Amino acid sequence: MDAGDGKRAVAQAALEYIEMGDVVGVGTGSTADLFIDSLAGIKGKIDGAVASSEASARRLREHGIAVLDLNRVGVLPVYVDGTDEATRHLHLIKGGGGALTREKIAAQASERFVCIAERRKLVATLGAFPLPIEVIPMARSLVGRSIAALGAQPELRAGFTTDNGNIILDAHNLDIQNPVEMERRLNQIPGVVTVGLFALRGADVLLLGGDAGVEALR
Ligand code: 5RP
């Protein structure tokens, strides 16, 4: 099984968490794209979707799935999204695609967050993947110094602007022994919009696709 097969398998498996009449929260990235393609096969069953990025909204509309405003929907029964790293505690690093802020909003608004990923995304400790942090442009230098003070190396994601008009600093080599504590700490830095650590509100279910098929961690 190659990486693409694992992604396709979890994208398909996530459909089991969708119920008739749901408005489905939809993430961003290549795995979420495959989920959108799978969702198209059952679009008659759902009432629409809330997208975590302009890119996902476009793909949903191309499939004829109505994209709704979260403010009008309220609580999402289910949110399905990929991840860059995940632990067995269902803590995540997300934001490789730069959509972390809307992803975090959708995850928080959801009753059930189903995270879908290839098996190789499972790690013992988060942080080998540089932690994405969305930052108000004016605070780039301030936040960069704060990250450096934590022993990490901030790197500006060159040529990238988020859907919200902000920048991303990727924090390399951050020592994340306690993801909940680190998320709280980074959230305190003025100018930080969102941290790509999803620990305070992690996933409820992690579907991992690999050679042995799909494994669900809860
Ligand atoms: C986007 C994300 C993605 O979920 C994450 O980057 C995983 O992407 P892919 O499914 O392409 O590996 O957080 O902001």
Side-chain angles (χ1 to χ4, degrees):
M1 188 184 256
D2 69 18
D5 293 335
K7 288 185 195 182
R8 263 185 292 279
V10 290
Q12 191 65 30
L15 294 182
E16 287 171 28
Y17 295 84
I18 314 290
E19 292 182 5
M20 184 71 83
D22 277 355
V23 172
V24 182
V26 175
T28 298
S30 58
T31 317
D33 278 351
L34 291 170
F35 171 69
I36 294 172
D37 298 346
S38 298
L39 194 60
I42 61 155
K43 65 181 178 187
K45 180 177 169 180
I46 62 170
D47 276 5
V50 168
S52 66
S53 63
E54 300 300 332
S56 291
R58 258 192 315 275
R59 197 176 186 97
L60 285 159
R61 288 194 188 100
E62 279 164 12
H63 280 299
I65 298 172
V67 177
L68 308 175
D69 176 1
L70 180 62
N71 293 304
R72 298 184 71 93
V73 174
V75 175
L76 292 168
V78 60
Y79 175 60
V80 180
D81 196 0
T83 192
D84 297 301
E85 282 184 346
T87 69
R88 289 194 174 274
H89 301 291
L90 309 195
H91 295 151
L92 314 171
I93 283 185
K94 291 184 45 53
L100 59 160
T101 295
R102 297 188 190 189
E103 292 174 341
K104 199 170 262 196
I105 293 167
Q108 188 70 37
S110 71
E111 288 176 328
R112 188 186 251 175
F113 175 9
V114 180
C115 184
I116 53 176
E118 312 153 47
R119 202 171 177 89
R120 66 177 180 84
K121 301 281 184 85
L122 186 65
V123 297
T125 308
L126 297 173
F129 190 92
L131 178 68
I133 303 176
E134 181 165 350
V135 175
I136 301 276
M138 177 195 173
R140 184 191 69 227
S141 168
L142 171 71
V143 175
R145 287 197 302 278
S146 304
I147 293 169
L150 293 171
Q153 295 84 49
E155 184 187 11
L156 176 67
R157 203 176 290 184
F160 186 85
T161 304
T162 70
D163 284 348
N164 314 305
N166 296 313
I167 58 166
I168 299 271
L169 293 179
D170 291 303
H172 294 257
N173 304 311
L174 192 61
D175 186 14
I176 310 176
Q177 296 303 325
N178 184 336
V180 169
E181 183 49 37
M182 183 58 82
E183 184 176 355
R184 283 210 181 98
R185 195 163 176 181
L186 292 169
N187 279 340
Q188 302 302 320
I189 303 169
V192 166
V193 177
T194 304
V195 176
L197 264 176
F198 286 54
L200 289 163
R201 201 282 183 250
D204 299 304
V205 183
L206 174 62
L207 299 180
L208 294 170
D211 287 339
V214 175
E215 183 189 4
L217 302 184
R218 291 185 174 82

